[in-house]
Amino acid sequence: MALILLKIIEAPAILALRRDPRLLKVPPYLSAICIFVGVVWLLLLPLNEYSRQTYISENALLPGQVHTYFGGSEQNVFNAYQYEIQALAGKEQEEITAKLVEIFKSAGLRAASQKYKYEAAGKSYHGENVYSILHAPRGDATEAIVLVAAWTNMQGDLNVRGVTLALTMARYFKRWSLWSKDIIVLITTDSKAGPQAWVDAYHDEHQFPFVEPLPIKSGALQGVVVVDNALDHRFESLHIVYDGINGQLPNLDLFNTAVSIASGQMGIGVSLQRMWNHGDSYRERLQTMLRGMVSQGLGHVSGPHSSFIPYHVDAITFQAVGQGWQDDMAMGRFVESTFRSLNNLLEHFHQSFFFYLLMQANRFVSIGTYLPSAMLVAVNFTIMAIALWIQSGRSSAPKLASTTTEKGSEPEVDVVKKGGMLAVTPKLESATRERQLFLPIALVVSMHFLGVIPLYIFNHTNSTILHHTLLAFTFSNLLLPVLLASLISRSALFSSSNMLLTQCISLLLLGMFLATLCTLNFSLALIVGLLSTPLSFLGRRPISFSSSEESPKTSMATKLFESALLHLLSPPVVAFAGCMWWGVDVGQMLLEAAFGWRVSGLWTQVVVWCVWWPAWLVGAVIVSPLL
């Protein structure tokens, strides 16, 4: 096969085509087509022809096939626990911990606590987790499922009914002898640092002495259910939160099991991505999918469940929303049925998808369908890099020799012979020259290492000045490309060919990084790719030719327009614009990123400052009016 391919490449017609200067006019159009097709591909996903109905892959789960018994006298227990939890509101952490441990032990469960303290952006996150373990009568303590309720939810509200339900369920589960897996009931101080400290210590990955080890443990965690009900009235439906850290997702079977039990067995409505009234139209499907992609692309902590997913523990959060007729007993029966399904698991979740996009509670798109969208966007950078590489190797911009003949003269042609075949092409006024790669590679690599500076600054600056720090960096970002372009223009070492190679290597690395990132965090790769698409078309474009030694010059007005466009799409400006669009404080956004970097292992900012920003900086230097 390789021999056949080599013969095809060496064919005279192919060799003549490779020398044809008109070939360099194709890449910009081909690149634009890739971007257009990638965007259209994404917009087609909500259609029935490209999405699928959800289904249960693991038959052992049997969702909604059991009769639930939670209710009746458990309502009195719930009311008693709720009274005690409400009395603890505003108390010191030591008093809260002592009371929770007392409640667990009074139910006949082993209980323990764990203190933790994190520091991020000059802010302290500390508290004490309390948990109990119900050892399965029919198990060997090798597997466990977890019920989590945070004392305060993601909005900072006291999760009274959620914590009360967790304590009531712990007492209720103790009465049954059907469990084949241990059940851990965990009460965390907050919804971010507490779950992270506990799951880190459970897997012996905690940061001692800031996080205490766990006194008691069970087996491998098979699934986690988080209950969030901070309402003071009956609820209408359940809002399912499933996004994990760095765009990781739980197994789709866990999500489908919860939806099947809630909507099928319990008659409770289900919503996701804050789409409270989903009419299953194309617009609503697309909006749900895009909201999920933004959340996945940010990769932040979206709930207590997010901390478990990096450890390959499938977890999900259920939030009670709205005002309706569903009471706490309905929520308890839902949790009971879900735990009964998890109790049926014979092995870890593996049958269904880990990479998917949800556009409704009962409709999804798998990775094989949506991946080409981001891949096409990433490929456009590689196409333009190849075109720039070819152009940089020509001593002068290729130009067709004149084929018009004077009297008694013949047109100048090249005759290409190979074997018994012959090809005649117009003679080219060009020759291949050696490429000097050291300076372009050194410049691009330096730009990427330069990204470590903002990465360090924004992850270690005090939270009180984060907003002003980003504002100052945005203004300095306007001057940095001008300064670098000025230094390059005064240096005799950087020729036009070197600048083409610099742009080529930068685009090649960007395409390579995004193509790799597609398989890890599709949404982040697509967002960065779309915001970086102007880099493929601005600057020295290989679409016109001249016989001069230098590349074609661009007018000053064009350079100023290109520079302004790139600055509007710089990472700091995009961060400000995104916060304004969603009504989020910029300082709070940066604080969340710093917390994720310090505590949760968030690497979204690595992609922003060490992949996207260096590529943008190279592009901004290339289009600078000083060059």
Side-chain angles (χ1 to χ4, degrees), residues 52-58 61 63-64 222-225 238-244 248-264 268-275 278 288 292 305 309 313-319 334 338 341-342 345 349-350 352-365:
R52 288 191 280 175
Q53 195 80 10
T54 56
Y55 58 93
I56 302 293
S57 298
E58 179 58 74
L61 286 170
Q222 300 298 305
V224 178
V225 173
L238 291 176
H239 179 238
I240 300 181
V241 186
Y242 55 91
D243 306 289
Q248 294 176 290
L249 301 174
N251 189 274
L252 190 56
D253 265 348
L254 177 60
F255 179 88
N256 292 339
T257 298
V259 172
S260 176
I261 293 172
S263 59
I268 303 175
V270 173
S271 60
L272 60 152
Q273 300 301 341
R274 299 188 177 276
M275 294 292 292
H278 202 298
T288 303
H305 68 281
I309 298 179
V313 179
D314 300 289
I316 202 167
T317 294
F318 302 107
Q319 294 179 333
F334 166 75
T338 303
S341 291
L342 294 176
L345 276 176
F349 279 109
H350 69 284
S352 193
F353 298 94
F354 287 95
F355 299 93
Y356 52 86
L357 295 176
L358 288 168
M359 52 199 63
Q360 191 213 15
N362 296 306
R363 201 150 198 93
F364 79 105
V365 177

Side-chain angles (χ1 to χ4, degrees), residues 84-93 95-96 151-152 158 160:
E84 297 194 44
I85 296 301
Q86 289 174 335
L88 291 173
K91 300 291 185 179
E92 294 295 329
Q93 183 62 54
E95 187 176 350
I96 296 174
W151 189 262
T152 56
L158 183 60
V160 175

Side-chain angles (χ1 to χ4, degrees), residues 294-345:
V294 170
S295 180
Q296 184 185 34
L298 294 176
H300 61 102
V301 177
S302 59
H305 68 281
S306 298
S307 302
F308 293 86
I309 298 179
Y311 287 96
H312 304 289
V313 179
D314 300 289
I316 202 167
T317 294
F318 302 107
Q319 294 179 333
V321 295
Q323 186 164 2
W325 57 275
Q326 304 289 352
D327 61 0
D328 300 295
M329 296 300 101
M331 176 73 88
R333 288 190 294 271
F334 166 75
V335 172
E336 178 189 359
S337 186
T338 303
F339 266 66
R340 291 286 295 274
S341 291
L342 294 176
N343 189 58
N344 292 335
L345 276 176

Side-chain angles (χ1 to χ4, degrees), residues 204-272:
D204 295 324
E205 297 290 337
H206 58 289
Q207 304 174 26
F208 187 83
F210 304 105
V211 178
E212 292 182 349
L214 298 182
I216 55 176
K217 294 183 182 180
S218 181
L221 305 181
Q222 300 298 305
V224 178
V225 173
V226 181
V227 180
D228 179 2
N229 185 2
L231 303 177
D232 57 358
H233 51 76
R234 296 191 175 201
F235 66 95
E236 180 184 9
S237 61
L238 291 176
H239 179 238
I240 300 181
V241 186
Y242 55 91
D243 306 289
I245 299 170
N246 295 322
Q248 294 176 290
L249 301 174
N251 189 274
L252 190 56
D253 265 348
L254 177 60
F255 179 88
N256 292 339
T257 298
V259 172
S260 176
I261 293 172
S263 59
Q265 183 183 15
M266 301 299 166
I268 303 175
V270 173
S271 60
L272 60 152

Side-chain angles (χ1 to χ4, degrees), residues 550-571:
E550 296 296 324
S551 295
K553 298 297 182 181
T554 308
S555 67
M556 181 61 67
T558 302
K559 286 187 174 182
L560 289 174
F561 171 77
E562 292 178 345
S563 181
L565 178 61
L566 277 187
H567 278 91
L568 288 176
L569 293 176
S570 66

Side-chain angles (χ1 to χ4, degrees), residues 38 88 100 108 170 173 192 197 230 244 273 276 368 376 378 468 474 496 524 609:
L88 291 173
L100 292 176
F173 287 155
K192 296 188 299 182
Q273 300 301 341
W276 311 123
L376 285 169
H468 300 91
T474 303
S496 174
L524 180 59
W609 298 119

